[in-house]
Amino acid sequence: MTLAEQNITQPSIEPLDQPRSIFARRSDFIELAKVKITRMVIITAYIGYGFANDAGISNAQWYAKLFIMLLGVALACMSASVLNQLYEIDTDQLMDRTKKRPLPTSRISKTEALIFGLALGVLGIALLSLFTNAAAALLCLFTIVSYVLIYTPLKRISPVALLVGAIPGAMPPVIGYAAGLEGSGFTVFNNTGWAAWIIFGIMFVWQVPHFLALAWMYRDDYAKANMPMLPVIDPDGSRTFMQILIGCITLVPLGLLPTMIGISGLAYFFAALICGLIFLYYGYKVVRFPSRQHARTLFLASLVYLPVVLLFMLIDKM
Ligand code: HEM
Ligand SMILES: CC(C)=CCC/C(C)=C/CC/C(C)=C/COP(=O)(O)OP(=O)(O)O
C-alpha cells in the first residue's frame, strides 16, 4: 500500500462519535459512586470500630484491620449508590437535581453501571469476610440489599421509605463495631454491643431532619418524578416540619445517652449538647420561618453535626 492509499484508508483522527474510554470517563464513575456520602459513611464506620474491643490483636493488626474494614465499607457503600442510581434512571431523568447524573445522561451505560456496582459490592463484602469477620460481612450485605432492594423501590410508593432507608443508613457504625470484635463478631448483638446500637440510634434519628430539609427544598422536583416524599403529599408542610422538629428534639437527649450509660465522658457530653442545641435551633428556624435558605442551612448543619459529635465520642471514649 502506498503512503497516499494509507492516508485514505486509515484516517489519522478518530471519528467524533467514538465511545469515550472508561479512563476518560473516570470522573463520571466517581460521581456515580457518590464519594462524599461514602466519606461520611466511613467516618461513622470508623467510630463504631473504635468502640469495639478485640483484645487478642497487636496495635499493627488493629490498624491493618481498620484499613481493610474502611476499604470494604467504602466499596460496599459505593456499590449501593451505583445500584440505587441504576434503578432510578427514569425518575432521575425527571428531576432537575438528578437529571445531569451519569446514567440519565448516558455518559455511563446501564451495563457498565451494573458491572461496576456488582464488582464494588463483591469486592467490599469479600474484603470484610476474608479480613474482618462474618458478622461485619453479613451486616454489610444486609445494608446493601435493604438499601437497593427495599428502600429504593419503596421510595416510589410511600414516604415511609425514609424510615426504612434510615435502617441501612445507620448500619455503618454497627458494621465497624462488629469488625472490631474478636471471633465471628456476632457479640455485637449481645448486651456488650450497646455502644454500636446507640450510635445506630443517633444516626437513625439524624437522617430525619437531614433528609426532610432537603426533600422540602426539592419537593417540586420529587412531585415531577411522582415520588411521594412527605413534603410532596403534605403541601402545607405541617407534617414535614413537625417531623423535622421531633427529629431535632429527640437528637438532643439521644446524643447525651453515651455519657449517661458511661461509654463517653463529659467533654463528649458538652459537645453533643452544644451541637444538638445548635442543630435544634436550625430545625426550629426552618419550622418557624420556612424558606429554601433555612432548609439548606439545616441540611448543611446536619453534615457538620454528625462527624463532629461522633469524633468527640471517639476522642472522649471511656
Ligand atoms: C434515608 C436515609 C438518607 C436519605 C434519604 C438521604 C438523602 C440524601 C439526598 C437526597 C442527598 C442529596 C444528594 C445529591 O444531591 O446528590 C443527600 C446528601 C448527602 N447525604 Fe444523605 N441521605 C440519607 C442518609 C445519609 C447517610 C446515612 C449519610 C452518611 C452517613 C448521608 C450523607 C450525606 C452527605 C455527606 C450528603 C452530601 C453529598 C454532597 O454534598 O454531594 N446521608 N442525602
Ligand atoms: C456500607 C454501606 C452499604 C453503606 C450504605 C449506607 C447508605 C445506605 C447510605 C445511603 C445514603 C443515601 C445517599 C441515601 C439517599 O438515597 P436516595 O436514593 O434517596 O438519594 P438520591 O435521590 O440522591 O439518589
Side-chain angles (χ1 to χ4, degrees), residues 34 37 41 73 76-77 80-81 84-85 88 92 95 97-98 101 140 143-144 147 151-152 155 165 168-169 172 175 211 222 229:
K34 294 198 177 168
I37 290 173
V41 163
V73 168
C77 182
S81 300
N84 160 275
Q85 289 170 83
E88 298 193 318
D92 277 356
M95 299 198 282
R97 180 176 65 85
T98 53
R101 285 180 172 176
C140 196
T143 306
I144 301 179
Y147 177 64
Y151 165 72
T152 307
K155 276 174 74 178
I175 300 168
F211 176 63
Y222 280 118
M229 297 302 171

Side-chain angles (χ1 to χ4, degrees), residues 188-265:
V188 66
F189 293 106
N190 290 355
N191 51 11
T192 52
W194 269 110
W197 296 105
I198 285 177
I199 307 171
F200 174 94
I202 293 173
M203 271 190 82
F204 183 91
V205 174
W206 166 86
Q207 291 172 81
V208 174
H210 166 76
F211 176 63
L212 287 181
L214 203 89
W216 187 79
M217 281 166 62
Y218 290 104
R219 60 195 183 285
D220 295 341
D221 234 11
Y222 280 118
K224 266 195 273 177
N226 240 330
M227 296 276 220
M229 297 302 171
L230 186 59
V232 174
I233 59 161
D234 165 44
D236 71 352
S238 56
R239 282 159 63 199
T240 307
F241 295 137
M242 183 55 73
Q243 293 194 16
I244 288 181
L245 205 57
I246 292 173
C248 293
I249 291 173
T250 312
L251 217 43
V252 179
L254 197 60
L256 305 181
L257 213 55
T259 304
M260 302 298 189
I261 66 156
I263 59 170
S264 306

